[in-house]
Amino acid sequence: MEVAAALALLLIRQRINGDTPEVRARSLNTPSMAIKNRNVPDNPESRRIGASIRGGGVQHFWLPKGTSQLPRVAKAEGVYVWDTQGNRYFDMTSGPVAVNLGHGNRRVIAAMQEQAARVCFSYPAYLESEPNSRLADLLAAQAGPGHDRAFFVSSGAEAVEKAIEFARLHAVARGEASRFRVISRLPAFHGSTLATQALSEDPDHSPLQPMLQRWPRVPVPFPYRPPKGLTHDEDAARCAEILRETIEREGPETVLAFIIEPVMGLTGGASYAPAGYYRRIREICTNYGVILIHDEVMSGVGRTGRFLAGHHWPGTQPDLIVLAKGLGSGYHPIAGFLAPDAMVETVVEAGGFHLGHTQKSSPLACAVGLAVVQETLERDLVSRAERHGATLRERLRALQDGIPILGDVRGLGLFNAIEIVADPVARTMLPRNLDVPAELSRLGREHGLLIYARRIYGGRFGDWIMVTPPLIIEPAEMDQLVERLAATLLAYQDRLRAAGHLG
Ligand SMILES: Cc1ncc(COP(=O)(O)O)c(C=O)c1O
């Protein structure tokens, strides 16, 4: 291990051993930030999940009865979030990979206020809105030729559904009404409405399974753990070939679309495929007349160091692109899909795409999206994501010798993940009965780190957490992130060792 890295680890370990979690949490406080919220009941009993109060936060829907409620948010600024007790947390994952611009961005807030004062809502069936067309123009310019039109809704799942419905209407308009099947990958996540869960959930284990359409699924090429005897490239070629076989098996005339996350979010921990895979699946979709959809809900709007993740692989462009989280950066719900002019024309000539929602392309949402994208471009956050992402991965890799459970560090730009293993040489997973992401998320909070974590498919493909800070992160803040993450991982490693889970 490099001397500097070893010393840094030693320092972190000393800090952990010397402090109780409470002291560590307090040490993150800025005293002037301690905030007393008079509306928060101080009685600890009323702050327990399941206490006999009516209403309560949404956490009552999942936290077990009797557990303490989560800290309450008081304010947020930049990469930090404060609770009502004055504790300051580093927002290491930008919430669920949403807050690309960080918190409290003045320009976005001003644009939101100005638009709200002018007109929040106006239905696009009656009147056009300037924020709507300006946002669409800007996205089309950034996305490049072939991504000419934009249709906006509120959430990522809605936008995925709209893209699929649009693809279907396009097929019908072209006289290909037999096309309806949507192929997705396994694992995948495209949202949690009934339609998008059918493309996402573990088909064998979801309690909703009887209610979900059973679509064909094809495997994902995982770089860290390809099947035995195959290189990542060979595995990627195998996965692409399975797509071709699946289309043949289902009947090419019935297949409407194939949807992928070009760089995977939580379901693949920032995994991506070799360039040849993207070329091959594009060829296959073109040959069979299948619409290729890129779900860039997490990866879009600069996060990977390109405006779109798909831009990393020129010449493999999809037909439809779905954007969400980073588009509104958490300031207002907005999502949408981009489509080529020719597809839109075909649908319009056949009667048009009317399957919208009340809030489609609302002036307020579009004004926020516009300010977010302008800010992203004018501050050059896209190339900044590429530069800072490379540094972050280097810094995290330097921790691997001292923290062997840190099996893999991967990603593009500031869209990264770390994979946690029992043995870094054999790449063995930890026992499936340990909920590794949930444990790390809890320990992270004790170390002043907010970590978005959810276990995917019960850990069947491995356990990872995303490392996706806001794109505005400064070098000194990166030091803090790495230090707190290292402390969290060391604490978890000690715990695993004490429980006999490590060799
Ligand atoms: C890749 C991907 N697609 C779709 C969605 C659904 O987005 P939303 O939560 O806005 O409905 C998510 C949410 O995490 C996602 O990560």
Side-chain angles (χ1 to χ4, degrees), residues 96-97 154-160 188-193 196 200 259-261 263-267 295-299 322-325 334-335 415 452 454:
V97 200
S154 303
S155 71
E158 275 175 273
V160 169
F189 187 72
H190 299 294
S192 62
T193 57
T196 53
S200 309
I259 182 165
I260 67 163
E261 288 173 76
V263 183
M264 295 177 76
L266 216 57
T267 43
D295 177 344
E296 293 226 25
V297 164
M298 273 197 184
S299 61
V322 181
L323 299 172
K325 302 181 182 249
I334 179 159
F415 198 40
Y452 170 52
R454 194 160 65 83

Side-chain angles (χ1 to χ4, degrees), residues 64-253:
K65 200 169 173 164
T67 53
S68 295
Q69 286 183 15
L70 297 175
R72 280 203 171 150
V73 64
K75 61 166 270 177
E77 185 70 42
V79 298
Y80 298 108
V81 177
W82 284 261
D83 69 20
T84 47
Q85 302 302 310
N87 296 309
R88 190 178 73 163
Y89 305 89
F90 197 113
D91 190 357
M92 185 183 86
T93 47
S94 305
V97 200
V99 191
N100 280 8
L101 294 184
H103 302 273
N105 183 284
R106 297 287 168 258
R107 175 196 199 142
V108 178
I109 293 168
M112 186 162 26
Q113 284 169 335
E114 201 197 316
Q115 186 60 46
R118 198 187 298 268
V119 49
C120 289
F121 182 81
S122 142
Y123 198 55
Y126 309 140
L127 295 165
E128 275 192 7
S129 89
E130 186 178 323
N132 179 186
S133 28
R134 286 182 65 198
L135 178 59
D137 293 353
L138 187 56
L139 287 178
Q142 289 302 314
H147 309 301
D148 317 302
R149 307 268 174 231
F151 189 96
F152 299 110
V153 286
S154 303
S155 71
E158 275 175 273
V160 169
E161 286 203 28
K162 291 305 118 188
I164 290 170
E165 290 166 0
F166 175 79
R168 166 74 188 162
L169 261 63
H170 177 257
V172 172
R174 279 166 53 103
E176 295 186 331
S178 60
R179 291 188 188 269
F180 69 99
R181 289 185 217 279
V182 182
I183 302 176
S184 69
R185 304 195 301 180
L186 195 149
F189 187 72
H190 299 294
S192 62
T193 57
L194 283 176
T196 53
Q197 284 201 54
L199 304 164
S200 309
E201 285 298 320
D202 185 338
D204 299 322
H205 294 107
S206 167
L208 294 169
Q209 191 51 52
M211 304 166 74
L212 305 180
Q213 185 88 23
R214 211 171 171 99
W215 297 116
R217 308 291 287 268
V218 296
V220 172
F222 274 107
Y224 186 58
R225 224 179 253 114
K228 228 184 161 79
L230 295 185
T231 64
H232 182 35
D233 282 351
E234 289 164 347
D235 184 35
R238 175 189 75 95
C239 291
E241 177 56 16
I242 292 175
L243 170 66
R244 198 195 59 75
E245 289 166 3
T246 304
I247 295 172
E248 280 288 348
R249 192 188 59 234
E250 298 291 335
E253 71 290 352

Side-chain angles (χ1 to χ4, degrees), residues 16 82 113 302 354 366 430 443:
I16 298 172
W82 284 261
Q113 284 169 335
H354 297 291
C366 290
L430 281 158
L443 269 176

Side-chain angles (χ1 to χ4, degrees), residues 271-288:
S271 292
Y272 56 94
Y277 174 81
Y278 299 100
R279 274 198 301 276
R280 184 67 190 129
I281 62 169
R282 177 64 274 181
E283 260 168 32
I284 293 169
C285 288
T286 304
N287 291 346
Y288 287 103

Side-chain angles (χ1 to χ4, degrees), residues 317-365:
Q317 79 184 65
D319 302 292
L320 303 176
I321 300 170
V322 181
L323 299 172
K325 302 181 182 249
L327 185 56
S329 193
Y331 289 84
H332 196 282
I334 179 159
F337 73 86
L338 303 179
D341 185 38
M343 279 183 82
V344 176
E345 280 293 301
T346 306
V347 172
V348 168
E349 277 167 25
F353 185 61
H354 297 291
L355 301 171
H357 295 263
T358 303
Q359 290 285 348
K360 71 181 167 212
S361 299
S362 100
L364 185 56

